[in-house]
Amino acid sequence: MRELEKIYKLNNVKRWNGVFSLQQQSVSEHCFYCACISGMLVDIYNEVEDKHLDTEKVILRALYHDISESFLSHLTHEAKNTSEMLKEEVERQKNKGYIEWCRSINRPDLCCDKNIGDIENILEFSDTFDAWMYAYMELEYGNQALRSAYERLTVALQKQKETYRWAKIFCERYLKEEKYKPIVCSIK
């Protein structure tokens, strides 16, 4: 029962704590969006890379990637980066919580995979993209409080697009509208 409570608790943990926002997003919503985006990304990855990633594993990792926030709560990028020690401790606790979670649901395979680095890169992109989309939507609603987050996340996505072929293809395939120009057109 403890495992189910952790899942349901994520719906009550709000993202972007301490930041004025017009729309609330829960950690469970964020994980759902990350899982959807990761599924799209892994399909592209498997089309263009020499290695093959297990789609189910990637999607499950995305769904559970923030499970530790059921007891840690959500800390914004800015809050985590107030000190290097805090940032390292939060990451340590998140990783520890995730490993414990995988064991508790009898899925230790989600913690170790020969392609774990590639899986983590996909999860990082989907995590960044969802945060970017949230910030973008807040700006569209007139909330300028997330302008700096939007700009920081745009740069992060641009770098990921430069680094990973699958990320570039994702952007070219799904971000064709004018509003996505900061990501798509900034890198040739």
Side-chain angles (χ1 to χ4, degrees):
M1 183 65 167
R2 211 175 101 235
E3 289 79 11
L4 292 173
E5 290 170 0
K6 282 184 182 178
I7 292 170
Y8 280 91
K9 190 173 178 186
L10 291 177
N11 197 46
N12 296 318
V13 179
K14 301 302 178 202
R15 288 178 48 83
W16 302 91
N17 285 329
V19 176
F20 174 75
S21 55
L22 299 170
Q23 301 279 330
Q24 291 293 315
Q25 185 187 50
S26 70
V27 173
S28 61
E29 287 174 286
H30 166 70
C31 290
F32 170 78
Y33 296 139
C34 287
C36 293
I37 295 162
S38 292
M40 297 164 80
L41 289 167
V42 77
D43 286 345
I44 295 168
Y45 180 99
N46 288 338
E47 287 172 23
V48 300
E49 299 296 335
D50 295 332
K51 297 180 270 185
H52 181 82
L53 299 180
D54 182 330
T55 303
E56 176 196 6
K57 224 181 240 191
V58 174
I59 291 172
L60 284 174
R61 280 187 66 96
L63 278 172
Y64 300 144
H65 82 281
D66 279 340
I67 196 71
S68 299
E69 291 185 9
S70 67
F71 63 88
L72 289 175
S73 193
H74 177 76
L75 291 173
T76 63
H77 174 82
E78 288 75 13
K80 281 186 251 186
N81 286 308
T82 56
S83 84
E84 195 59 36
M85 190 170 85
L86 175 63
K87 182 179 177 181
E88 289 172 8
E89 183 60 21
V90 168
E91 286 308 308
R92 193 178 75 70
Q93 289 297 324
K94 283 187 77 164
N95 290 335
K96 180 182 172 194
Y98 181 77
I99 291 167
E100 289 171 3
W101 169 258
C102 291
R103 288 184 186 137
S104 74
I105 62 167
N106 202 26
R107 288 300 302 263
D109 61 307
L110 295 177
C111 294
C112 54
D113 187 284
K114 64 182 178 184
N115 298 314
I116 197 72
D118 294 324
I119 293 170
E120 289 297 322
N121 292 334
I122 286 174
L123 294 179
E124 180 183 358
F125 183 91
S126 68
D127 194 59
T128 304
F129 183 81
D130 179 60
W132 180 87
M133 184 59 84
Y134 181 83
Y136 170 79
M137 290 170 60
E138 284 290 307
L139 290 172
E140 284 290 294
Y141 296 138
N143 179 8
Q144 294 299 310
L146 287 165
R147 167 80 47 206
S148 65
Y150 171 81
E151 291 169 358
R152 176 182 49 77
L153 293 162
T154 298
V155 170
L157 287 172
Q158 290 167 345
K159 287 178 182 175
Q160 290 169 326
K161 183 182 166 198
E162 277 181 353
T163 305
Y164 308 115
R165 186 166 49 154
W166 47 263
K168 182 177 182 183
I169 293 169
F170 173 87
C171 292
E172 291 168 351
R173 192 176 288 177
Y174 296 110
L175 305 178
K176 295 177 184 175
E177 296 177 44
E178 183 70 23
K179 62 186 173 185
Y180 302 123
K181 211 172 191 173
I183 296 173
V184 179
C185 296
S186 60
I187 298 173
K188 309 295 182 238

